[in-house]
Amino acid sequence: MPRRPTAPTLPFARSLRKRMTSAETILWRALRGSRFEGRKFRRQVPVGKYIADFLCVEE
C-alpha cells in the first residue's frame, strides 16, 4: 500500500490527472474499470515523494 503523500505532491498529482498526454489517455482507457486482467489501476498516484503514472494497488 502506498505511503501517505506529502502535502506538495497531492495537488501536483491532481493537476497531472487533468493534463494527461494522448498516450496516457489511450492507456488509461485500457486499464480503468478493471479491464486489464481484472486488475484495478489508479493513475497519477503519489508514492512517497514520487508520483506513479499508473499503479496496481493489488500488486
Side-chain angles (χ1 to χ4, degrees), residues 8-57:
T9 21
L10 194 55
F12 184 61
R14 286 182 182 144
S15 72
L16 288 175
R17 280 182 225 126
K18 293 177 183 177
R19 298 180 292 121
M20 289 197 311
T21 65
S22 58
E24 288 174 324
T25 302
I26 291 167
L27 181 57
W28 179 240
R29 285 182 186 154
L31 294 176
R32 70 184 233 206
S34 302
R35 293 181 190 156
F36 183 75
E37 297 184 3
R39 302 274 195 249
K40 188 170 186 173
F41 282 82
R42 295 160 132 191
R43 62 188 169 123
Q44 308 300 349
V45 181
V47 180
K49 65 178 185 175
Y50 301 101
I51 297 176
D53 288 329
F54 300 97
L55 176 71
C56 179
V57 179

